[in-house]
Coordinates of all heavy atoms in Angstrom, one line a residue:
I1 N 0.8 -1.2 0.0 CA 0.0 0.0 0.0 C 0.9 1.2 0.0 O 0.6 2.2 -0.7 CB -0.9 0.0 1.2 CG1 -1.9 -1.2 1.1 CG2 -1.7 1.3 1.3 CD1 -2.7 -1.4 2.3
A2 N 2.0 1.2 0.7 CA 2.8 2.4 0.8 C 3.5 2.7 -0.5 O 3.7 3.9 -0.8 CB 3.9 2.2 1.9
L3 N 3.8 1.7 -1.3 CA 4.4 1.9 -2.6 C 3.5 2.5 -3.6 O 3.9 3.0 -4.7 CB 5.0 0.6 -3.2 CG 6.2 0.1 -2.4 CD1 6.6 -1.2 -3.0 CD2 7.4 1.1 -2.5
K4 N 2.2 2.6 -3.3 CA 1.2 3.2 -4.2 C 1.2 4.7 -4.0 O 0.6 5.5 -4.8 CB -0.2 2.6 -4.0 CG -0.3 1.2 -4.5 CD -1.7 0.7 -4.3 CE -1.7 -0.8 -4.8 NZ -3.1 -1.3 -4.7
R5 N 1.7 5.2 -2.9 CA 1.8 6.7 -2.7 C 3.2 7.2 -2.9 O 4.1 6.5 -2.7 CB 1.3 6.9 -1.2 CG -0.2 6.8 -1.1 CD -0.5 7.2 0.4 NE -0.8 5.9 1.1 CZ -0.5 5.6 2.3 NH1 0.1 6.5 3.0 NH2 -0.9 4.5 2.8
R6 N 3.3 8.5 -3.1 CA 4.6 9.1 -3.2 C 5.3 9.1 -1.8 O 4.6 9.3 -0.8 CB 4.5 10.5 -3.7 CG 3.9 10.6 -5.1 CD 4.7 11.4 -6.0 NE 4.1 11.5 -7.3 CZ 4.7 10.9 -8.4 NH1 5.9 10.3 -8.3 NH2 4.2 11.0 -9.5
S7 N 6.6 9.0 -1.9 CA 7.3 8.9 -0.6 C 7.6 10.3 -0.1 O 7.8 11.2 -0.8 CB 8.7 8.2 -0.9 OG 8.4 6.9 -1.3
T8 N 7.7 10.4 1.2 CA 8.1 11.6 1.9 C 9.6 11.8 1.7 O 10.4 10.8 1.4 CB 7.7 11.6 3.4 OG1 8.5 10.6 4.0 CG2 6.3 11.4 3.6
P9 N 10.1 13.0 1.9 CA 11.6 13.2 1.8 C 12.4 12.4 2.8 O 13.5 11.9 2.5 CB 11.7 14.7 2.1 CG 10.5 15.3 1.7 CD 9.4 14.3 2.0
E10 N 11.8 12.1 4.0 CA 12.5 11.3 5.0 C 12.7 9.8 4.5 O 13.7 9.2 4.6 CB 11.7 11.2 6.3 CG 11.7 12.6 7.0 CD 10.6 13.5 6.5 OE1 9.6 13.0 6.0 OE2 10.7 14.7 6.6
I11 N 11.6 9.3 3.8 CA 11.7 8.0 3.3 C 12.7 7.9 2.1 O 13.4 6.9 2.0 CB 10.3 7.5 2.8 CG1 9.3 7.5 3.9 CG2 10.3 6.2 2.1 CD1 9.5 6.5 5.0
L12 N 12.7 8.9 1.3 CA 13.6 9.0 0.2 C 15.1 9.0 0.7 O 15.9 8.3 0.2 CB 13.4 10.2 -0.7 CG 12.1 10.2 -1.6 CD1 12.0 11.5 -2.3 CD2 12.2 9.0 -2.6
K13 N 15.3 9.7 1.8 CA 16.6 9.8 2.4 C 17.0 8.5 2.9 O 18.2 8.0 2.8 CB 16.6 10.9 3.4 CG 18.0 11.2 4.0 CD 18.0 12.4 4.9 CE 19.4 12.7 5.4 NZ 19.5 13.8 6.2
K14 N 16.1 7.8 3.6 CA 16.4 6.5 4.1 C 16.7 5.5 3.0 O 17.7 4.7 3.2 CB 15.2 6.0 5.0 CG 15.4 4.7 5.7 CD 14.4 4.4 6.8 CE 13.0 4.3 6.4 NZ 12.1 3.7 7.4
R15 N 16.0 5.5 1.9 CA 16.3 4.6 0.8 C 17.6 4.9 0.2 O 18.4 4.0 -0.2 CB 15.2 4.7 -0.2 CG 13.9 4.1 0.2 CD 12.9 4.2 -0.9 NE 11.6 3.7 -0.4 CZ 10.4 4.1 -0.9 NH1 10.4 4.9 -2.0 NH2 9.3 3.6 -0.5
A16 N 17.9 6.2 0.1 CA 19.2 6.6 -0.5 C 20.4 6.2 0.4 O 21.4 5.7 -0.1 CB 19.3 8.1 -0.7
R17 N 20.2 6.2 1.7 CA 21.2 5.8 2.7 C 21.4 4.3 2.5 O 22.6 3.8 2.5 CB 20.8 6.2 4.1 CG 21.8 5.8 5.1 CD 21.4 6.3 6.5 NE 22.2 5.7 7.5 CZ 23.5 6.1 7.8 NH1 24.0 7.1 7.1 NH2 24.2 5.5 8.8
K18 N 20.3 3.5 2.4 CA 20.5 2.1 2.3 C 21.2 1.8 1.0 O 22.1 0.9 0.9 CB 19.1 1.4 2.2 CG 18.5 1.3 3.6 CD 17.2 0.5 3.5 CE 16.5 0.4 4.8 NZ 15.2 -0.3 4.7
L19 N 20.9 2.5 -0.1 CA 21.6 2.3 -1.4 C 23.1 2.6 -1.3 O 23.9 1.9 -1.8 CB 20.9 3.1 -2.4 CG 21.4 2.9 -3.9 CD1 21.1 1.5 -4.3 CD2 20.6 3.9 -4.8
A20 N 23.4 3.7 -0.6 CA 24.8 4.1 -0.4 C 25.6 3.1 0.4 O 26.7 2.7 0.0 CB 24.9 5.5 0.3
I21 N 25.0 2.5 1.4 CA 25.6 1.5 2.2 C 25.8 0.2 1.4 O 26.9 -0.4 1.4 CB 24.8 1.2 3.5 CG1 24.9 2.3 4.5 CG2 25.3 -0.1 4.2 CD1 24.0 2.2 5.6
K22 N 24.8 -0.1 0.6 CA 24.9 -1.3 -0.3 C 26.1 -1.1 -1.3 O 26.8 -2.0 -1.6 CB 23.6 -1.5 -1.0 CG 23.5 -2.8 -1.7 CD 22.1 -2.9 -2.3 CE 21.9 -4.1 -3.1 NZ 20.5 -4.2 -3.7
M23 N 26.2 0.1 -1.8 CA 27.2 0.4 -2.8 C 28.6 0.2 -2.2 O 29.5 -0.4 -2.8 CB 27.1 1.8 -3.4 CG 26.0 2.0 -4.4 SD 25.8 3.7 -4.9 CE 27.4 4.2 -5.2
M24 N 28.8 0.8 -1.0 CA 30.1 0.7 -0.3 C 30.4 -0.7 0.1 O 31.6 -1.2 -0.1 CB 30.2 1.6 0.9 CG 30.1 3.1 0.5 SD 31.1 3.6 -0.9 CE 32.7 3.1 -0.3
K25 N 29.5 -1.5 0.5 CA 29.7 -2.9 0.8 C 30.2 -3.7 -0.4 O 31.1 -4.5 -0.4 CB 28.5 -3.6 1.4 CG 28.2 -3.2 2.9 CD 27.0 -4.0 3.4 CE 26.8 -3.7 4.8 NZ 25.6 -4.4 5.4
K26 N 29.5 -3.4 -1.5 CA 29.9 -4.0 -2.8 C 31.3 -3.6 -3.3 O 32.1 -4.4 -3.7 CB 28.9 -3.7 -3.9 CG 29.0 -4.4 -5.2 CD 27.9 -4.1 -6.1 CE 28.0 -4.8 -7.4 NZ 26.9 -4.6 -8.3
K27 N 31.6 -2.3 -3.1 CA 32.9 -1.8 -3.5 C 34.0 -2.4 -2.6 O 35.1 -2.8 -3.2 CB 32.9 -0.3 -3.5 CG 34.2 0.3 -3.9 CD 34.2 1.8 -3.9 CE 35.5 2.4 -4.3 NZ 35.5 3.9 -4.3
W28 N 33.8 -2.3 -1.3 CA 34.9 -2.8 -0.4 C 35.0 -4.3 -0.3 O 36.0 -4.9 -0.1 CB 34.7 -2.2 1.0 CG 35.0 -0.7 1.0 CD1 35.8 0.0 0.2 CD2 34.5 0.2 2.0 NE1 35.8 1.3 0.6 CE2 35.0 1.5 1.7 CE3 33.6 0.1 3.1 CZ2 34.7 2.6 2.4 CZ3 33.3 1.2 3.8 CH2 33.9 2.5 3.5
G29 N 33.8 -5.0 -0.5 CA 33.8 -6.4 -0.4 C 34.4 -7.2 -1.6 O 35.1 -8.2 -1.5
K30 N 34.2 -6.6 -2.8 CA 34.7 -7.2 -4.0 C 34.2 -8.6 -4.4 O 34.7 -9.2 -5.3 CB 36.2 -7.2 -4.1 CG 36.8 -5.8 -4.1 CD 38.2 -5.7 -4.6 CE 38.8 -4.4 -4.7 NZ 38.4 -3.3 -4.0
K31 N 33.3 -9.2 -3.5 CA 32.7 -10.4 -3.9 C 31.4 -10.6 -3.1 O 31.1 -9.7 -2.3 CB 33.6 -11.6 -3.6 CG 34.1 -11.7 -2.1 CD 35.1 -12.9 -2.0 CE 35.8 -12.9 -0.7 NZ 36.7 -14.0 -0.5
D32 N 30.6 -11.6 -3.4 CA 29.3 -11.8 -2.9 C 29.4 -12.0 -1.3 O 30.3 -12.7 -0.9 CB 28.7 -13.1 -3.5 CG 27.3 -13.2 -3.2 OD1 26.6 -12.2 -3.1 OD2 26.8 -14.4 -3.0
P33 N 28.5 -11.4 -0.5 CA 28.6 -11.6 0.9 C 28.5 -13.0 1.4 O 29.1 -13.4 2.4 CB 27.4 -10.8 1.4 CG 27.1 -9.8 0.4 CD 27.5 -10.4 -0.9
S34 N 27.9 -13.9 0.6 CA 27.8 -15.3 1.0 C 29.1 -16.0 0.9 O 29.3 -17.0 1.5 CB 26.7 -16.0 0.2 OG 27.1 -16.0 -1.2
E35 N 30.0 -15.4 0.1 CA 31.3 -16.0 -0.1 C 32.4 -15.4 0.8 O 33.5 -16.0 0.9 CB 31.8 -15.9 -1.6 CG 30.9 -16.6 -2.6 CD 31.3 -16.3 -4.0 OE1 32.2 -15.5 -4.2 OE2 30.6 -16.8 -4.9
M36 N 32.0 -14.3 1.5 CA 33.0 -13.7 2.4 C 33.0 -14.4 3.8 O 32.0 -14.9 4.2 CB 32.6 -12.2 2.7 CG 33.0 -11.3 1.6 SD 32.7 -9.6 2.1 CE 31.4 -9.1 1.1
S37 N 34.2 -14.3 4.4 CA 34.3 -14.9 5.7 C 33.7 -13.9 6.7 O 33.5 -12.7 6.4 CB 35.8 -15.1 6.1 OG 36.4 -13.9 6.2
M38 N 33.4 -14.3 7.9 CA 32.8 -13.5 8.9 C 33.8 -12.3 9.2 O 33.3 -11.2 9.4 CB 32.5 -14.3 10.2 CG 31.7 -13.5 11.2 SD 30.2 -12.8 10.5 CE 29.1 -14.2 10.8
A39 N 35.1 -12.6 9.3 CA 36.0 -11.5 9.6 C 36.0 -10.4 8.5 O 36.1 -9.2 8.8 CB 37.4 -12.1 9.7
E40 N 35.9 -10.8 7.2 CA 35.8 -9.8 6.2 C 34.5 -9.0 6.3 O 34.6 -7.8 6.1 CB 35.8 -10.5 4.8 CG 37.1 -11.2 4.4 CD 37.0 -11.9 3.1 OE1 36.0 -12.7 2.9 OE2 37.9 -11.8 2.3
K41 N 33.4 -9.6 6.6 CA 32.2 -8.8 6.8 C 32.3 -7.9 8.0 O 31.9 -6.7 7.9 CB 31.0 -9.8 7.0 CG 30.6 -10.6 5.8 CD 29.5 -11.6 6.2 CE 29.3 -12.6 5.2 NZ 28.3 -13.6 5.6
Q42 N 32.9 -8.3 9.0 CA 33.1 -7.5 10.2 C 34.0 -6.3 9.9 O 33.8 -5.2 10.4 CB 33.6 -8.3 11.4 CG 32.6 -9.2 12.0 CD 33.2 -10.1 13.1 OE1 34.4 -10.3 13.2 NE2 32.3 -10.6 13.9
A43 N 35.0 -6.5 9.1 CA 36.0 -5.5 8.7 C 35.2 -4.4 7.9 O 35.4 -3.2 8.1 CB 37.1 -6.0 7.9
I44 N 34.4 -4.8 7.0 CA 33.6 -3.9 6.2 C 32.6 -3.1 7.1 O 32.5 -1.9 7.0 CB 32.8 -4.6 5.1 CG1 33.8 -5.1 4.1 CG2 31.8 -3.7 4.4 CD1 33.2 -6.0 3.0
E45 N 32.0 -3.8 8.0 CA 31.1 -3.1 9.0 C 31.8 -2.1 9.8 O 31.3 -1.0 10.1 CB 30.3 -4.1 9.9 CG 29.2 -4.8 9.2 CD 28.1 -3.9 8.7 OE1 27.7 -2.9 9.5 OE2 27.6 -4.1 7.6
K46 N 33.0 -2.4 10.2 CA 33.8 -1.5 11.1 C 34.2 -0.3 10.3 O 34.2 0.8 10.8 CB 35.1 -2.2 11.5 CG 35.9 -1.5 12.5 CD 37.1 -2.3 13.0 CE 37.8 -1.5 14.1 NZ 39.0 -2.2 14.6
R47 N 34.5 -0.4 9.0 CA 34.8 0.7 8.1 C 33.6 1.6 8.0 O 33.7 2.8 7.9 CB 35.3 0.3 6.8 CG 36.7 -0.2 6.8 CD 37.2 -0.7 5.4 NE 37.5 0.4 4.5 CZ 38.0 0.2 3.3 NH1 38.1 -1.0 2.8 NH2 38.3 1.3 2.6
L48 N 32.4 1.0 7.8 CA 31.2 1.7 7.6 C 30.8 2.5 8.9 O 30.2 3.6 8.8 CB 30.1 0.8 7.2 CG 30.1 0.3 5.8 CD1 29.0 -0.8 5.6 CD2 29.9 1.4 4.8
T49 N 31.1 1.9 10.1 CA 30.6 2.6 11.3 C 31.7 3.6 11.8 O 31.4 4.3 12.8 CB 30.3 1.5 12.4 OG1 31.4 0.7 12.6 CG2 29.1 0.7 12.0
S50 N 32.9 3.6 11.2 CA 33.9 4.6 11.7 C 33.4 6.0 11.3 O 32.5 6.2 10.4 CB 35.2 4.3 11.0 OG 35.1 4.6 9.6
P51 N 33.9 7.0 12.0 CA 33.5 8.4 11.6 C 33.7 8.7 10.2 O 32.9 9.4 9.5 CB 34.4 9.2 12.5 CG 34.7 8.4 13.7 CD 34.8 7.0 13.1
S52 N 34.9 8.3 9.6 CA 35.1 8.6 8.2 C 34.1 7.8 7.3 O 33.7 8.3 6.3 CB 36.5 8.3 7.8 OG 36.8 6.9 8.0
G53 N 33.8 6.6 7.7 CA 32.8 5.8 6.9 C 31.4 6.5 7.0 O 30.7 6.5 6.0
Q54 N 31.0 7.0 8.2 CA 29.8 7.7 8.3 C 29.7 9.0 7.5 O 28.7 9.3 6.8 CB 29.5 8.0 9.8 CG 29.2 6.8 10.6 CD 27.9 6.1 10.3 OE1 26.9 6.8 10.0 NE2 28.0 4.8 10.2
A55 N 30.8 9.7 7.4 CA 30.9 10.9 6.6 C 30.8 10.5 5.1 O 30.1 11.2 4.4 CB 32.2 11.6 6.8
L56 N 31.4 9.4 4.7 CA 31.3 9.0 3.3 C 29.9 8.6 3.0 O 29.4 9.0 1.9 CB 32.3 7.8 3.1 CG 32.2 7.2 1.7 CD1 32.7 8.2 0.7 CD2 33.1 5.9 1.7
I57 N 29.2 7.9 3.9 CA 27.8 7.5 3.6 C 26.9 8.7 3.6 O 26.0 8.8 2.7 CB 27.4 6.5 4.7 CG1 28.1 5.2 4.6 CG2 25.9 6.3 4.7 CD1 27.9 4.2 5.7
A58 N 27.2 9.7 4.4 CA 26.4 10.9 4.4 C 26.5 11.6 3.0 O 25.5 12.1 2.4 CB 26.8 11.9 5.5
R59 N 27.8 11.7 2.5 CA 28.0 12.4 1.2 C 27.3 11.6 0.1 O 26.7 12.1 -0.8 CB 29.5 12.4 0.9 CG 30.2 13.6 1.5 CD 31.5 13.9 0.9 NE 32.4 12.7 0.7 CZ 33.2 12.3 1.6 NH1 33.3 12.8 2.7 NH2 34.0 11.2 1.3
L60 N 27.5 10.2 0.1 CA 26.8 9.4 -0.9 C 25.3 9.5 -0.8 O 24.7 9.4 -1.9 CB 27.3 8.0 -0.8 CG 28.7 7.7 -1.3 CD1 29.1 6.2 -1.0 CD2 28.7 7.9 -2.8
T61 N 24.8 9.6 0.4 CA 23.3 9.7 0.5 C 22.8 10.9 -0.2 O 21.8 10.8 -0.9 CB 23.0 9.7 2.0 OG1 23.4 8.5 2.6 CG2 21.5 9.9 2.2
R62 N 23.5 12.0 0.0 CA 23.1 13.3 -0.7 C 23.1 13.1 -2.2 O 22.3 13.6 -2.9 CB 23.9 14.5 -0.2 CG 23.6 15.0 1.2 CD 24.2 16.3 1.4 NE 25.6 16.3 1.3 CZ 26.5 16.1 2.4 NH1 26.0 15.8 3.5 NH2 27.8 16.1 2.2
K63 N 24.1 12.4 -2.7 CA 24.2 12.2 -4.1 C 23.2 11.2 -4.6 O 22.8 11.2 -5.8 CB 25.6 11.7 -4.5 CG 26.7 12.8 -4.3 CD 28.0 12.3 -4.8 CE 29.1 13.4 -4.7 NZ 30.4 13.0 -5.2
M64 N 22.8 10.3 -3.8 CA 21.9 9.2 -4.2 C 20.4 9.6 -4.2 O 19.6 8.9 -4.7 CB 22.1 7.9 -3.4 CG 23.5 7.3 -3.6 SD 23.9 7.0 -5.3 CE 22.8 5.8 -5.8
I65 N 20.1 10.7 -3.5 CA 18.7 11.1 -3.3 C 18.0 11.4 -4.7 O 16.9 10.9 -5.0 CB 18.5 12.3 -2.4 CG1 18.7 11.8 -0.9 CG2 17.2 13.0 -2.5 CD1 18.7 12.9 0.1
P66 N 18.7 12.1 -5.6 CA 18.1 12.2 -7.0 C 17.9 10.9 -7.7 O 16.9 10.8 -8.4 CB 19.1 13.1 -7.7 CG 19.9 13.8 -6.7 CD 19.9 12.9 -5.5
V67 N 18.8 10.0 -7.5 CA 18.7 8.7 -8.1 C 17.4 7.9 -7.6 O 16.6 7.4 -8.4 CB 19.9 7.8 -7.9 CG1 19.7 6.4 -8.4 CG2 21.1 8.5 -8.5
V68 N 17.2 8.0 -6.3 CA 16.1 7.3 -5.7 C 14.8 8.0 -6.1 O 13.8 7.4 -6.4 CB 16.2 7.3 -4.2 CG1 15.0 6.8 -3.5 CG2 17.4 6.5 -3.7
R69 N 14.8 9.3 -6.2 CA 13.7 10.1 -6.6 C 13.3 9.7 -8.1 O 12.2 9.6 -8.4 CB 13.9 11.6 -6.5 CG 12.7 12.4 -6.7 CD 12.9 13.9 -6.5 NE 13.3 14.2 -5.1 CZ 14.3 14.9 -4.6 NH1 15.2 15.4 -5.5 NH2 14.5 15.1 -3.4
H70 N 14.3 9.6 -8.9 CA 14.1 9.2 -10.3 C 13.5 7.8 -10.4 O 12.6 7.6 -11.3 CB 15.4 9.3 -11.1 CG 15.3 8.9 -12.5 ND1 14.7 9.7 -13.5 CD2 15.7 7.8 -13.2 CE1 14.7 9.1 -14.6 NE2 15.3 7.9 -14.5
I71 N 14.0 6.9 -9.6 CA 13.4 5.5 -9.6 C 11.9 5.6 -9.2 O 11.1 4.9 -9.8 CB 14.2 4.6 -8.6 CG1 15.6 4.3 -9.1 CG2 13.4 3.3 -8.4 CD1 16.5 3.7 -8.1
E72 N 11.6 6.4 -8.2 CA 10.2 6.5 -7.8 C 9.4 7.2 -8.9 O 8.2 6.7 -9.2 CB 10.1 7.3 -6.5 CG 8.7 7.4 -6.0 CD 8.5 8.2 -4.7 OE1 9.0 9.3 -4.7 OE2 7.9 7.6 -3.8
Q73 N 9.9 8.2 -9.6 CA 9.1 8.8 -10.6 C 8.9 7.9 -11.8 O 7.8 7.9 -12.4 CB 9.9 10.1 -11.1 CG 9.8 11.2 -10.2 CD 10.7 12.4 -10.7 OE1 11.5 12.3 -11.6 NE2 10.5 13.5 -10.0
A74 N 9.9 7.0 -12.1 CA 9.7 6.0 -13.1 C 8.6 5.0 -12.7 O 7.8 4.6 -13.6 CB 11.0 5.3 -13.4
R75 N 8.5 4.7 -11.5 CA 7.5 3.8 -11.0 C 6.1 4.4 -11.2 O 5.1 3.6 -11.5 CB 7.7 3.5 -9.5 CG 6.9 2.3 -9.0 CD 7.2 1.9 -7.6 NE 6.7 2.9 -6.7 CZ 7.4 3.5 -5.7 NH1 8.7 3.3 -5.6 NH2 6.8 4.4 -4.9
F76 N 5.9 5.7 -11.1 CA 4.6 6.3 -11.2 C 4.4 6.8 -12.6 O 3.2 7.2 -12.9 CB 4.5 7.5 -10.2 CG 4.3 7.1 -8.8 CD1 5.3 7.2 -7.9 CD2 3.0 6.6 -8.4 CE1 5.1 6.8 -6.6 CE2 2.8 6.3 -7.1 CZ 3.8 6.4 -6.2
A77 N 5.3 6.8 -13.5 CA 5.2 7.4 -14.8 C 4.1 6.7 -15.7 O 3.4 7.4 -16.4 CB 6.5 7.3 -15.5
H78 N 4.0 5.4 -15.6 CA 3.1 4.7 -16.5 C 1.8 4.3 -15.8 O 1.0 3.6 -16.3 CB 3.8 3.5 -17.1 CG 5.0 3.9 -17.8 ND1 4.9 4.6 -19.0 CD2 6.3 3.7 -17.6 CE1 6.2 4.8 -19.4 NE2 7.0 4.3 -18.6
K79 N 1.6 4.8 -14.6 CA 0.3 4.5 -13.9 C -0.8 5.5 -14.2 O -0.5 6.7 -14.2 CB 0.5 4.5 -12.3 CG 1.3 3.3 -11.9 CD 1.2 3.2 -10.4 CE 1.6 1.8 -9.9 NZ 1.3 1.5 -8.6
P80 N -2.0 5.0 -14.4 CA -3.1 6.0 -14.6 C -3.4 6.7 -13.3 O -3.4 6.1 -12.3 CB -4.2 5.1 -15.1 CG -3.9 3.7 -14.6 CD -2.4 3.6 -14.5
Q81 N -3.7 8.0 -13.4 CA -4.1 8.8 -12.3 C -5.5 8.4 -11.8 O -6.4 8.3 -12.6 CB -4.0 10.3 -12.6 CG -2.6 10.7 -12.9 CD -1.7 10.6 -11.7 OE1 -2.1 10.8 -10.6 NE2 -0.4 10.3 -11.9
Q82 N -5.7 8.3 -10.5 CA -7.0 8.0 -10.0 C -7.7 9.2 -9.4 O -7.1 10.0 -8.8 CB -6.9 6.9 -8.9 CG -6.5 5.6 -9.6 CD -6.3 4.4 -8.5 OE1 -6.4 4.7 -7.3 NE2 -6.1 3.2 -9.0

């Protein structure tokens, strides 16, 4: 039901943040998480939760908001208005 309505700016920001974290995990991990050892996963999480990692995520989140907004607009583009 929530996906049928437009998202609030807070929701868009949350989605952009998740996307930024996912991007950094993919970049730093260089392989599928199911193939990584627990130590490798913990090292990535440690980098993400460090102050520099949080600053990087914040910057990426700001850059990803237009991308998330574009994805949402594409979802509504071909729906008939009610």
Side-chain angles (χ1 to χ4, degrees):
I1 297 173
L3 288 176
K4 292 183 179 181
R5 284 184 255 142
R6 297 232 180 244
S7 301
T8 63
E10 295 82 26
I11 299 293
L12 289 175
K13 189 173 182 179
K14 186 164 57 167
R15 288 181 187 157
R17 181 174 169 77
K18 284 183 182 181
L19 187 60
I21 290 170
K22 188 176 178 181
M23 284 175 46
M24 293 315 301
K25 283 183 179 180
K26 187 174 179 180
K27 181 179 179 180
W28 288 336
K30 295 201 179 15
K31 56 183 171 180
D32 191 36
S34 62
E35 298 174 0
M36 280 192 249
S37 69
M38 187 57 85
E40 288 174 317
K41 291 179 194 176
Q42 288 175 341
I44 292 171
E45 283 297 321
K46 188 174 182 182
R47 284 178 80 177
L48 287 172
T49 56
S50 69
S52 61
Q54 290 294 316
L56 177 64
I57 290 171
R59 276 198 314 272
L60 281 176
T61 298
R62 284 195 299 271
K63 288 185 179 182
M64 296 309 293
I65 287 175
V67 174
V68 173
R69 191 176 292 130
H70 180 74
I71 292 169
E72 185 179 48
Q73 286 176 349
R75 192 174 74 231
F76 284 105
H78 302 293
K79 285 195 166 193
Q81 296 294 326
Q82 293 180 351

